[in-house]
C-alpha cells in the first residue's frame, strides 16, 4: 500500500482538542499549523465523545484521517496521492505502540517544582497548547476545566456532590454562631513528591505494589535494621497477596502496624487485623509479637492511647520520631473510600486536620463500625513512604475527584495526604484511572495532578 507523503501527525484530547503531541513533516507556517489543527479538530468535532469510529476531514488538498482511542484522538494528514487506508494503518500502528509504551504509565510530578522525573504521558519536547483553557491563578481554588463546577466551587458547600449525583461528604461542623467552633482544615504547604502509577490490571497493580513494598522494606532494613509498615483494611488487603511469594523480603525485620483499625474483637469479621491475617500475615514469617494489634474490650479513646503507646514502645531504633514529634513510619499503605476517606479519617471531621497525636479515636464513624482508631494525618504525613491503592471501576470517580478537582480542604481527606519529607505513590489500574484526564495534566509545574491552591492559613 503506497502513500505519497504524511504531512503531519497530531495527538489531541478528544474533549477540548488540546494537542498533546504533534509532528510536522513539512514546513508549515505557524498560521497554517493553526488551520491544520482546527481542520483536524473539526473532523471529529461532531462525533459522540465515546465513538470509536474513524473520521475523515480535509485540509487544503490534503486528506485528514482521525482515529479516536480512549481520551485521545490520533490524526494524520496525507498529501499528494493520499491513501486513507494507509494513513489509518499508520495511525493504528502508532496507537498500538502508544498503548504498549504506556501499558504501565508512570507519571511523576512535583506539585511545586518544575522538575519531574520518570516517564511522562506528555512526550518530551512537545507542546501542550493551552488553547481553550483558562489561565489558572495560583492563589485561588483552581477548578480544572474538566471538573463539574465551571463557575468554581459553589459558595455554600459543606461537602460536595459526586459526579454520580450522590451527596458526598456532608459537613459535620455546625458552623459559627451555633455552639461549636468549626474545624479548620488547611492544605499542607510545600513540595510533595507524588507519583501516579497506572497499571493495566489489578493483578499488575498488586505485583507493582509488591515491588514498591519490597523496595521500601530493603531500604529501611539497610538504613535502620527494621521495617515498619502500616496496613489499612478494606479492598487493599487483596492487593497484598503477591507479597507472600516474595523470597527477597526479610519479613523477620518487619513490624506491622495498622493505619486504622475498627474497635472490635480480633476475630470479628470487621477487624482489619483479621483481614490482614487471612490475606497476608498468615502466609509470611513476620514474628507474631511484631504485629501490633489494637487492644480489645476497651473504648475507642483508651484503645487509641494504648495503640500510640505500642508505637512509642518500639523505640527510636525501629520507629524514629521526627523533629515535629511524629512517628517516621517506613511505609503507610492506604486505601481510599468512595467519599475520599483514608484510614479512618472521614470527610469534614475533626480528624481531617493536623494533630499532635499519633493515633486518634473515632466514636461516630459514618461507615460502620462506628468505633475505630486511626493514625492521624500528621502521623501519615510524617511517613517515609505512603502508597494509596485504588483499584477497579468502583474507585474511578473518587480517584478523578481527588487527583483532578480541588475540594475544600477537609472535604476529601485523601487530598490531605502529602508526606512532608517522604514520597507519595498512587497505585491505580486502568479501571480506576479511566475518569482521569491524564493528557490534560501539565507536569511542568504550572499545574499538577493536584490542583492545589495555596489556601491561606486561617
Ligand atoms: O473502612 C475502611 O475503608 C477504607 C477504604 O476501604 P475500601 O474497601 O473502600 O478500599 C480502608 O482503607 C480503611 O482501612 C477501612 O478501615
Amino acid at each position: 500500500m503506497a502513500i505519497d507523503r504524511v504531512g503531519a501527525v497530531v495527538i489531541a484530547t478528544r474533549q477540548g482538542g488540546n494537542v498533546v503531541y504533534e509532528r510536522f513533516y513539512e514546513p508549515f507556517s505557524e498560521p497554517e499549523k493553526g488551520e491544520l489543527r482546527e481542520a483536524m479538530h473539526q473532523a471529529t468535532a461532531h462525533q459522540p465523545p465515546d465513538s470509536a469510529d474513524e473520521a475523515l476531514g480535509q485540509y487544503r488538498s490534503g486528506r485528514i484521517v482521525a482515529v479516536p482511542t480512549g481520551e485521545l484522538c490520533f490524526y494524520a494528514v496525507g498529501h499528494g496521492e493520499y491513501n486513507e487506508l494507509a494513513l489509518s494503518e499508520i495511525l493504528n500502528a502508532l496507537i498500538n505502540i502508544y498503548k504498549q509504551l504506556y501499558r504501565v504509565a508512570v507519571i511523576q510530578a512535583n506539585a511545586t517544582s518544575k522538575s519531574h522525573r520518570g516517564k511522562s504521558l506528555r512526550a518530551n519536547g512537545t507542546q501542550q497548547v493551552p488553547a481553550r483553557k483558562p489561565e489558572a491563578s495560583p492563589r485561588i481554588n483552581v477548578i480544572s476545566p474538566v471538573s463539574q463546577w465551571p463557575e468554581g466551587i459553589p459558595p455554600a458547600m459543606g461537602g460536595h456532590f459526586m459526579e454520580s449525583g450522590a451527596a458526598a461528604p456532608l459537613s459535620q461542623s455546625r458552623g459559627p454562631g451555633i455552639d461549636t467552633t468549626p474545624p479548620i482544615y488547611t492544605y499542607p504547604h510545600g513540595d510533595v513528591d507524588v507519583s501516579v502509577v497506572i497499571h493495566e490490571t489489578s493483578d499488575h497493580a498488586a505485583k507493582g505494589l509488591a515491588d514498591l513494598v519490597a523496595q521500601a522494606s530493603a531500604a529501611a532494613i539497610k538504613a535502620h535494621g527494621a521495617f515498619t509498615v502500616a496496613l489499612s483494611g478494606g479492598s487493599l488487603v487483596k492487593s497484598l497477596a503477591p507479597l507472600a511469594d516474595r523470597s527477597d523480603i526479610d519479613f523477620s525485620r518487619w513490624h506491622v502496624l495498622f493505619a486504622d483499625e475498627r474497635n472490635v474483637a480480633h476475630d470479628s469479621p470487621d477487624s482489619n487485623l483479621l483481614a490482614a491475617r487471612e490475606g497476608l500475615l498468615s502466609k509470611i514469617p513476620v514474628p507474631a509479637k511484631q504485629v501490633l494489634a489494637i487492644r480489645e474490650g476497651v473504648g475507642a479513646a483508651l484503645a487509641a492511647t494504648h495503640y500510640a503507646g505500642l508505637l512509642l514502645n518500639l523505640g527510636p531504633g525501629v520507629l524514629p520520631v521526627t523533629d515535629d514529634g511524629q512517628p517516621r513510619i517506613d511505609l503507610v499503605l492506604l486505601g481510599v473510600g468512595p467519599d475520599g476517606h483514608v484510614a479512618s479519617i472521614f470527610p469534614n471531621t475533626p480528624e481531617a486536620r493536623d494533630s499532635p497525636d499519633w493515633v486518634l479515636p473515632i466514636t461516630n464513624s459514618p461507615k460502620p463500625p462506628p468505633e475505630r482508631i486511626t493514625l492521624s494525618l500528621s502521623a501519615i504525613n510524617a511517613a517515609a513512604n505512603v502508597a494509596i491503592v485504588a483499584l477497579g471501576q468502583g474507585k474511578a470517580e473518587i480517584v478523578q475527584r481527588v487527583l483532578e478537582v480541588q475540594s475544600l480542604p477537609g472535604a476529601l481527606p485523601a487530598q490531605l495526604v502529602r508526606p512532608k519529607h517522604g514520597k507519595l505513590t498512587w497505585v491505580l489500574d486502568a479501571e480506576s484511572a479511566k475518569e482521569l484526564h491524564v493528557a490534560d495534566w501539565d507536569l511542568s509545574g504550572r499545574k499538577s495532578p493536584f490542583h492545589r491552591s495555596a489556601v491561606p492559613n486561617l
Side-chain angles (χ1 to χ4, degrees):
M1 205 163 290
I3 185 160
D4 204 41
R5 284 198 320 270
V6 177
V9 171
V10 172
I11 306 174
T13 59
R14 287 224 252 175
Q15 248 193 348
N18 295 314
V19 173
V20 294
Y21 177 87
E22 61 185 6
R23 190 81 185 256
F24 294 93
Y25 297 97
E26 292 178 3
F28 285 91
S29 67
E30 279 315 307
E32 283 170 340
K33 286 181 184 173
E35 284 170 21
L36 178 56
R37 285 183 203 117
E38 190 52 34
M40 288 181 163
H41 184 59
Q42 283 310 320
T44 49
H46 303 296
Q47 278 189 324
D50 53 353
S51 164
D53 293 341
E54 293 181 9
L56 299 175
Q58 189 84 29
Y59 175 65
R60 299 195 177 173
S61 61
R63 195 80 166 139
I64 295 168
V65 173
V67 183
T69 178
E71 294 184 346
L72 297 177
C73 192
F74 287 63
Y75 302 87
V77 60
H79 278 261
E81 296 280 302
Y82 68 81
N83 183 317
E84 290 159 10
L85 207 53
L87 283 178
S88 138
E89 279 190 3
I90 290 170
L91 289 183
N92 279 305
L94 274 177
I95 289 169
N96 282 336
I97 293 169
Y98 172 87
K99 282 184 175 162
Q100 281 298 319
L101 208 56
Y102 294 114
R103 198 167 59 86
V104 174
V106 181
I107 304 112
Q108 295 194 303
N110 186 303
T112 54
S113 138
K114 282 201 189 309
S115 68
H116 57 272
R117 300 174 302 283
K119 243 191 305 177
S120 153
L121 278 186
R122 184 163 168 250
N124 271 343
T126 61
Q127 219 188 339
Q128 192 160 28
V129 179
R132 303 184 192 91
K133 280 190 172 185
E135 273 299 314
S137 155
R139 294 296 305 175
I140 56 163
N141 280 334
V142 178
I143 298 295
S144 120
V146 298
S147 79
Q148 286 74 44
W149 296 306
E151 305 300 324
I153 294 180
M157 190 182 69
H160 65 258
F161 290 99
M162 306 290 274
E163 203 174 28
S164 60
L170 288 177
S171 172
Q172 297 182 359
S173 65
R174 280 181 279 178
I178 309 181
D179 62 356
T180 182
T181 311
I184 293 169
Y185 311 106
T186 52
Y187 285 116
H189 291 280
D191 284 359
V192 59
D193 186 352
V194 189
S195 298
V196 179
V197 186
I198 304 170
H199 296 271
E200 195 179 9
T201 65
S202 56
D203 286 348
H204 287 104
K207 290 204 181 83
L209 181 63
D211 288 341
L212 184 153
V213 175
Q215 265 172 30
S217 166
I221 292 169
K222 190 167 170 214
H224 65 106
F227 177 55
T228 48
V229 56
L231 306 181
S232 292
S235 57
L236 169 83
V237 177
K238 196 168 157 234
S239 317
L240 300 177
L243 280 169
D245 301 326
R246 299 292 293 239
S247 52
D248 57 332
I249 297 179
D250 184 355
F251 291 109
S252 69
R253 309 287 189 98
W254 276 34
H255 295 261
V256 177
L257 335 171
F258 286 86
D260 74 321
E261 178 57 291
R262 290 86 179 268
N263 191 23
V264 293
H266 292 171
D267 59 359
S268 158
D270 283 335
S271 160
N272 285 347
L273 172 70
L274 181 71
R277 274 190 181 142
E278 287 175 350
L280 177 67
L281 300 177
S282 59
K283 299 169 193 159
I284 56 173
V286 178
K289 62 175 193 325
Q290 287 169 213
V291 176
L292 303 191
I294 190 174
R295 180 161 170 192
E296 290 173 288
V298 297
L302 187 52
T305 308
H306 178 260
Y307 204 76
L310 291 183
L311 300 190
L312 205 55
N313 264 347
L314 290 173
V318 172
L319 184 58
V321 176
T322 66
D323 292 345
D324 297 344
Q326 291 293 331
R328 178 117 173 119
I329 298 169
D330 291 312
L331 173 63
V332 176
L333 293 172
L334 299 172
V336 57
D339 57 355
H341 81 267
V342 288
S344 283
I345 301 171
F346 289 91
N348 297 323
T349 59
E351 292 77 41
R353 56 180 164 170
D354 284 340
S355 160
D357 295 330
W358 294 10
V359 185
L360 300 172
I362 287 123
T363 51
N364 59 349
S365 159
K367 176 179 173 181
E371 288 218 357
R372 294 157 172 251
I373 63 168
T374 185
L375 288 178
S376 65
L377 255 185
S378 307
I380 292 171
N381 284 334
N385 296 281
V386 180
I388 303 184
V389 182
L391 305 177
Q393 185 170 351
K395 302 286 183 194
E397 182 179 358
I398 191 62
V399 164
Q400 193 270 333
R401 275 246 170 249
V402 173
L403 290 181
E404 293 191 339
V405 183
Q406 166 137 29
S407 72
L408 291 181
L412 292 179
Q415 287 191 336
L416 300 176
V417 177
R418 306 185 79 189
K420 262 189 168 172
H421 305 290
K423 184 167 169 36
L424 170 62
T425 307
W426 278 81
V427 179
L428 306 178
D429 62 5
E431 291 272 285
S432 61
K434 74 177 183 176
E435 302 287 332
L436 292 177
H437 304 78
V438 173
D440 286 350
W441 291 4
D442 179 346
L443 304 178
S444 65
R446 205 163 45 84
K447 281 197 285 171
S448 80
F450 293 87
H451 294 295
R452 299 292 160 70
S453 58
V455 177
N457 272 317
L458 300 172

